[in-house]
Every structure is written in C-alpha cells, then in structure tokens.
Amino acid sequence: MSERPQPLIVGAGPAGIRAAEALVKAGLRPLVVDEGPACGGQIYRQRLVPDGRSTRDLYGSEAAKAEALHRDFAALDGKLDYWPQALLWNLRAGGADIMVQGTSRQVAYDGLLLATGATDRILPIPGWTLPGVFTLGGAQIALKSQGCAIGSRIVFLGSGPLLYLVAWQYMKAGAKVAAVLDTASFAAKFNLLRGLPLFPGIVLRGMRMTAELKLGGVGLHYGVGDVRIEGKNAVEAIAWRQDGMEHRLACDGIGYGLALRSETQLADLAGCRFAFNQRDRAALPERDAAGRSSVPGVYLAGDGAGIAGADAAERAGERAALALLQDRGLPHDTARATALEAGLARIGRFREVLEAAFPFPVHWMRDLADATTLCRCEEVSAGEVRAAISRFGVHELNRLKAVSRVGMGRCQGRICGAAAAELLAHETGRGIEAVGRLRGQAPVKPVPLTLTLAAEQEAAE
C-alpha cells in the first residue's frame, strides 16, 4: 500500500511557517512550496546575500518576530520538505503542478493549505508607468533583499499603514525621503484612537514613526488628489492638488500603493466558493473561523484570504493546521484553537479601524483621464476601456476582459484588475460588488514555453 500523500502548504510567510510548525508537531511531514529564495514572506523577506545589516536594520521594531519565524522554520529542517523558488502554477483535485528549477513536477497532496499572501493594490494615475515608479512592496523588496534605494530623492504615495512603514524604513536606512503623500485626510487618522484599546502598541508605534518622519524633515501631506507623475524617460517630479492648491515636487523615485489585495488565483483553481468582502472591496474565498474553505480538505490562511497583517497570518496559519488535524481525526489542541480564533477576531476589529483611518480613494476613477494607461501589460488606456464598456454594453468584469484585453497580460490582472473593476462599476453606475471578479486560470503566473512542451512530451511518451 502506498503512503498517504503529504499535506501541501503553499507559501512560506508567517501563515505558512506556523502551519508547517503545527503539522510537524503533530507528526506529519508537510511539503512547503514558496516562490521566494528563503522563508519569511514579503513582510519578513530575507537578504539575498549578507551585507552587514542587522536584523534590527531590516525589520525595525518587528525584528524579534522576524528572527523567531526564521529560527522556528530552520528548526523544522529534516522534518518537512521545503521547495524554495518554486512556482505552483496549476491545481486539480488532489494534485498540483509545481515548477522547480525549470522542471514541472506533478505532486499529489492530501490536505491543501493556501497561504498565498497579498500584493500591492493600485489605481492608475498619469505617469505611473514611468521608470522610477515602484509599488510600495517593490520598494520594500529593493531595500530588504538588495540593500538599495529606488532613487536619490524619493516620494511615497498612497494610503494604508504600509505607506508610512516603508517611508520610515527608507529614512532609517539613510535614503532621502522628500515627502509622504497620503490620499486620506488628516481627520481620518483620528479613527486610530479607536484602536488604542485593542492594540495600543501598534497604534503608538505608528504615531512614533509618523513623528520621526516629520522630525526627519519629511513633508507629510494629507488628502492629496489629482496626482500626476512627470518625466520624459524617467520620473522627474510629482504634482498633486491639496486643499484646492496645486503642488509640485522634484523627485527621481516614487513608491506607490493603496493598501493590499489578496492573491486568490489558487483558491479559485482549487474550486473554493467566493463572496464579496466590502472592507477589502474584492471577492474573497469563503472560509470559516478555523480556516476551512468551501472545499473539503482545502484550508485558507493569511492575507491571501483577506487582508489582516502578519500577526493575524501567524495565528491563522496555525489555526488552519489545527483544523486539518481535526479533520483527519488526529489529536489537536482545542483550547489553543479557541484562543487563536479569539485573537483573530480581535485583529479583525482592529482591521476595521485601519480601514476607517486609511480609506480607499474610490472617487479617483471618476476623474481618470482617458489617455492614462490602465493595463500596462496589454497597453490598454482608460479611454479604450470606457469605449469597450459603452460599445458592447459590458456589465461584468470577465466580459470586459474579453472585449478589451484588460487582464490578459503577464500579470493576469494582478495590477490592473482592481482598477478595471472600479472603472466598470463607475461607468455602469453599479456597486463594485456587482461587476464580478476575474476568474483564475492556469498557469497562474507565466511559465517557460519549454516547460510546457517538456510536460506534453513526457505525457505523450
């Protein structure tokens, strides 16, 4: 009789690490696959090579958490299988196609735990495709992994806690941060006071970062709108309107992001049922408090199932692993499961506070110029999308994709999908929840053509 297939964990960030730890503790040997070269995910991304920076230099006040996660995952060596720099590009019932070192391997699994994380959410603005414009996450990768800045005079633009964190990290690293442009009003920040009873340490740490940015000479601007990035062949300046006045600032690097969006393509391929989440303004895979999806044997944890941050991801990863153990009829700590769910519920309430303090600028799509590129992969402008909506009477996002090519490029809608949905909702006068979501399809990310041919040849032989 063959051995029972391994549980498969996708993602070696906070959620995936804690899930793996719980399964190993219970005597299972999971397979962990991750696209990164080392564990930690985006938030606790490790350096590519030693460069003299300390953990404190890299992660600031989160250094102890990063060290603990890296150390705990290293302690699992020999007790699990770990495939770094591996892309899981397709899922089917009980099986996965995973590209490792240029070769696609078919893996059978018994229990799938998706901890796929999130990427930056953006809206197109004039000039956003110029060289020198990075997402906030991209700017963070450059600093953490490569030890370099995205420019010599940098502006950070957008909304969300990550905006201030990345700006502060750059300032502490010695980079020249010229300004932080927040799309939310200053008055919205008073909502953070409601978070003090829930997580006083996080709120006070955020206030301290903001104060240090101000004391460091960084201009803090709130309620910015009508933003445009200027330059011929690269970023030269950024202009915006604030309180009825025009502003312009010279810069050669811009970090931009409007909070985060969940990576849900694999959950879609796994057959999970989705429901619209108003807080995240996106359709998300359904899960119960334990992390069970609508598909038996498929579990969801971390930002890939709803944005809640690294602390929530750790708890959710462990809780989902306990659910897997319970569903297998294996011993599991029910008291620990209850405590984890209580902690996640508390973080969920805090997430509502953050959303009020850093609201999404829905109104931006109303004033988006027709000439602005919306889908950079396929070079589709906002005007072309508007024309397609009008010409074909489009009301649904996948139909818009079919008639305009939005979302058909290399990013598979990761960058333009949110903007296309917002524009479709605005143009048709419908709620964002009514326009649908881009369906996931394999391969979820580009794979070499030679890989596909090799797989077909092997199957034919």
Side-chain angles (χ1 to χ4, degrees):
M1 179 180 291
S2 61
E3 293 184 6
R4 188 172 186 175
Q6 296 170 279
L8 173 60
I9 298 173
V10 184
I17 290 173
R18 293 307 178 205
E21 189 177 42
L23 295 184
V24 168
K25 185 178 179 181
L28 300 182
R29 186 183 180 91
L31 167 61
V32 180
V33 300
D34 187 72
E35 293 180 46
C39 73
Q42 169 65 4
I43 185 67
Y44 301 128
R45 181 179 290 271
Q46 299 186 57
R47 290 158 288 195
L48 294 176
V49 294
D51 56 13
R53 289 180 294 168
S54 68
T55 310
R56 184 78 182 181
D57 293 333
L58 282 172
Y59 310 111
S61 60
E62 301 295 289
K65 294 179 182 178
E67 288 175 345
L69 277 165
H70 297 160
R71 181 182 63 246
D72 292 348
F73 191 69
L76 301 177
D77 187 36
K79 302 173 184 177
L80 52 68
D81 293 306
Y82 171 46
W83 295 356
Q85 295 183 291
L87 171 64
L88 196 160
W89 60 271
N90 186 32
L91 279 173
R92 69 186 79 81
D97 294 303
I98 305 172
M99 183 176 69
V100 188
Q101 297 178 345
T103 301
S104 186
R105 302 176 62 175
Q106 294 185 345
V107 174
Y109 61 81
D110 183 18
L112 174 66
L113 199 154
L114 297 175
T116 48
T119 54
D120 295 272
R121 179 177 61 178
I122 61 170
L123 293 178
I125 55 177
W128 72 284
T129 59
L130 279 169
V133 181
F134 293 73
T135 64
L136 290 174
Q140 206 174 39
I141 289 172
L143 187 65
K144 287 182 179 179
S145 292
Q146 302 166 2
C148 64
I150 61 172
S152 58
R153 182 176 170 83
I154 307 164
V155 170
F156 291 98
L157 161 70
S159 184
L162 187 62
L163 174 68
Y164 291 87
L165 174 61
V166 179
W168 180 83
Q169 288 172 335
Y170 264 73
M171 184 186 73
K172 287 296 183 181
K176 173 59 180 175
V177 179
V180 173
L181 308 183
D182 193 332
T183 63
S185 68
F186 180 75
K189 300 299 178 283
F190 286 101
N191 284 292
L192 291 171
L193 298 177
R194 296 192 287 116
L196 281 171
L198 292 168
F199 291 98
I202 294 176
V203 175
L204 294 175
R205 187 159 62 245
M207 290 178 175
R208 190 195 75 233
M209 285 182 183
T210 305
E212 289 183 6
L213 285 166
K214 189 72 173 177
L215 292 172
V218 178
L220 304 180
H221 303 270
Y222 300 93
V224 305
D226 295 330
V227 181
R228 67 181 185 276
I229 300 168
E230 300 176 351
K232 259 194 166 181
N233 300 312
V235 171
E236 297 174 7
I238 187 167
W240 71 95
R241 179 178 289 275
Q242 180 183 0
D243 298 327
M245 298 181 63
E246 291 283 347
H247 301 265
R248 185 178 185 276
L249 189 62
C251 60
D252 62 359
I254 293 174
Y256 174 40
L258 299 165
L260 300 172
R261 54 163 294 280
S262 299
E263 283 284 329
T264 61
Q265 289 85 357
L266 290 180
D268 203 351
L269 294 185
C272 297
R273 185 170 58 242
F274 279 63
F276 188 82
N277 183 287
Q278 191 63 52
R279 185 196 67 193
D280 286 11
R281 296 186 67 79
L284 300 175
E286 293 181 1
R287 58 173 170 169
D288 66 12
R292 296 180 181 88
S293 76
S294 60
V295 178
V298 177
Y299 307 84
L300 307 166
D303 284 345
I307 307 302
D311 291 347
E314 286 194 53
R315 291 171 170 83
E318 183 181 355
R319 181 63 189 94
L322 294 178
L324 186 153
L325 295 174
Q326 181 181 9
D327 294 346
R328 278 197 174 192
L330 297 173
H332 63 285
D333 190 337
T334 55
R336 177 62 178 167
T338 300
L340 288 168
E341 288 185 23
L344 287 167
R346 188 161 164 255
I347 293 174
R349 293 194 295 273
F350 185 64
R351 178 68 177 80
E352 299 294 340
V353 171
L354 292 179
E355 188 60 32
F358 301 99
F360 182 72
V362 180
H363 61 283
W364 276 24
M365 299 310 292
R366 179 189 61 213
D367 304 319
L368 182 64
D370 281 345
T372 305
T373 298
L374 189 145
C375 173
R376 65 187 306 168
C377 293
E378 295 294 316
E379 299 182 349
V380 182
S381 70
E384 289 172 316
V385 173
R386 287 190 175 107
I389 293 170
S390 175
R391 179 183 177 187
F392 295 100
V394 177
H395 291 88
E396 195 273 333
L397 196 55
N398 290 283
R399 176 61 177 159
L400 178 61
K401 175 181 177 180
V403 300
S404 70
R405 296 195 61 80
V406 165
M408 285 192 181
R410 182 179 179 85
C411 85
Q412 291 287 289
R414 286 176 173 82
I415 302 299
C416 65
E422 295 287 348
L423 186 60
L424 180 57
H426 178 265
E427 292 298 308
T428 58
R430 311 176 85 198
I432 184 68
E433 70 282 356
V435 301
R437 61 182 178 87
L438 290 177
R439 292 185 292 268
Q441 54 187 348
V444 295
K445 290 185 179 179
V447 297
L449 183 60
T450 52
L451 180 80
T452 305
L453 291 174
E456 290 176 353
Q457 183 177 0
E458 183 178 340
E461 293 175 354

